[in-house]
Amino acid sequence: MRWAILGASNIAATRVLPALRECGENAAVVLSGDAARAEEYRRTHDIESATDDLREAVGGDVQAAYISSTNDKHFDHAMAAIDAGLHVLCEKPLSFDVTQAQKMVDAAAGVVFATNHHLRTHPVHRAARKMLAEGAIGDILSVRVSNTILLRQALRGWRLDGVGGGVVLDLAVHDVDTLRFVTGMEPTTVTAVGVRQGLSDGPADAAMTSGVLGTNTLFSLHDAYTVPGGVTGFEIHGTAGTLVATDCMRPDPTGTLRMIAAGQDTTVPLETVDNLYAPGIRAFVDAVRGHGEPVATGYDGLRSVTAALAILQSIDEGRTVRL
């Protein structure tokens, strides 16, 4: 397919464009609100054309759109692409507003609409999901996710202001999707605290969340832009054992998975994946052709942003929020 790249972003340049090309897809046009930036991006990344006009970007002979503009533009860009009859792969969060996210999902009834939750293709996450489904550690009692990084200087821009929404809408939204994907359960309550630890003058750059999955499974999330040397990962405790996943919440297919049960600590063998984004692109293209579903659907994006916004509400109001 010929794709419109809506947003001249770092993630498109470093992750998604290489994945598109690996899958035989074609980046036909790039959109930026700044015409000069669009043209420079086009030349640098070998894209056919560039524009600062949204209607032009989604018109013509493109069949799909990848949306990686700043978070505040996702809704408008997605709706324009859907209205033009394009299949849409949208970065998370779908929107800053649950009603808007629901409108996006509803409007895309006639096209494939997916959320780019790339961690669903991570070999650690997929292995953990399979083991839990097979009952490897019994009933799930609790899950603890750590997604702490030191945000690179080059990325300390819109992520730290109202355009990006801070660490919750950047990292916690991935944590929530990990909880849903790996355990198969939905978060039902959240209680959160967010603080500024030196990077942001706006939304929180560090947050901790506790809550419940389903009826009685506990979970906790630690998200931060402020931690040098942090090791991302998750632990899942069950009635018959524990899964320990390390170094597996970033954009690369690194990490390990261990199962601790019956007095033994066993390293779980993992499949080999070179690029976390390519399997998602392949699944998206297959769905367009009528075979299967995207790795993460629009509904999955709706659920993750609903929970992330509930976390922000809990931070703002100082109370438990029920989803």
Side-chain angles (χ1 to χ4, degrees):
M1 291 186 295
R2 292 170 60 78
W3 289 66
I5 310 300
L6 306 184
S9 68
N10 175 270
I11 196 70
T14 60
R15 304 291 178 175
V16 175
L17 280 171
L20 285 172
R21 287 164 176 158
E22 179 181 328
C23 297
E25 300 294 287
N26 182 14
V29 60
V30 61
L31 170 77
S32 172
D34 182 321
R37 172 168 169 74
E39 177 57 24
E40 178 185 7
Y41 196 93
R42 181 200 70 77
R43 290 196 307 269
T44 302
H45 302 293
D46 194 25
I47 299 171
E48 290 181 19
S49 64
T51 183
D52 62 351
D53 186 293
L54 178 58
R55 288 188 180 183
E56 181 180 343
V58 299
D61 60 351
V62 294
Q63 294 89 42
Y66 166 61
I67 298 171
S68 65
S69 48
T70 53
N71 294 344
D72 60 320
K73 295 183 176 68
H74 287 181
F75 176 73
D76 289 341
H77 287 181
M79 294 302 289
I82 293 166
D83 288 345
L86 305 187
H87 305 286
V88 175
L89 175 62
C90 187
E91 277 297 339
K92 54 75 204 168
L94 295 187
S95 174
F96 286 158
D97 179 86
V98 172
T99 301
Q100 286 188 345
Q102 183 70 62
K103 285 181 179 178
M104 295 160 77
V105 173
D106 292 343
V111 298
V112 173
F113 182 59
T115 310
N116 197 31
H117 275 306
H118 65 279
L119 291 176
R120 288 183 172 224
T121 70
H122 199 296
V124 169
H125 294 230
R126 298 182 75 84
R129 171 185 169 94
K130 183 174 185 294
M131 293 178 71
L132 292 177
E134 293 171 348
I137 61 169
D139 297 331
I140 303 172
L141 300 172
S142 62
V143 186
R144 180 173 65 86
V145 181
S146 178
N147 200 352
T148 59
I149 63 170
L150 182 62
L151 188 66
R152 289 189 290 122
Q153 188 68 43
L155 300 180
R156 295 180 188 180
W158 59 267
R159 287 172 176 79
L160 297 172
D161 60 27
V163 173
V167 74
V168 171
L169 287 177
D170 190 16
L171 300 186
V173 71
H174 278 308
D175 302 349
V176 170
D177 190 66
T178 293
L179 293 174
R180 296 185 65 250
F181 177 71
V182 173
T183 70
M185 293 189 287
E186 296 283 355
T188 51
T189 66
V190 295
T191 307
V193 176
V195 296
R196 301 182 187 92
Q197 293 185 327
L199 295 188
S200 175
D201 292 327
D205 54 27
M208 281 193 169
T209 304
S210 60
V212 177
L213 297 172
T215 56
N216 62 355
T217 296
L218 298 172
F219 75 88
S220 67
L221 316 175
H222 180 195
D223 298 284
Y225 284 149
T226 56
V227 179
V231 178
T232 70
F234 55 85
E235 293 181 5
I236 305 175
H237 304 286
T239 54
T242 292
L243 292 179
V244 180
T246 58
D247 192 25
C248 61
M249 297 295 291
R250 306 306 301 145
D252 297 301
T254 56
T256 61
L257 180 64
R258 296 159 39 225
M259 182 171 74
I260 303 170
Q264 295 186 329
D265 189 331
T266 306
T267 299
V268 178
L270 303 172
E271 62 181 327
T272 299
V273 175
D274 295 327
N275 181 335
L276 294 184
Y277 292 81
I281 298 294
R282 292 191 190 98
F284 182 89
V285 172
D286 285 345
V288 170
R289 294 171 176 165
H291 306 296
E293 284 193 334
V295 169
T297 64
Y299 177 77
D300 292 317
L302 172 63
R303 296 308 306 161
S304 63
V305 75
T306 298
L309 291 171
I311 291 171
L312 288 178
Q313 182 182 353
S314 177
I315 292 171
D316 290 341
E317 299 179 3
R319 66 178 181 89
T320 297
V321 176
R322 182 170 297 277
L323 283 78

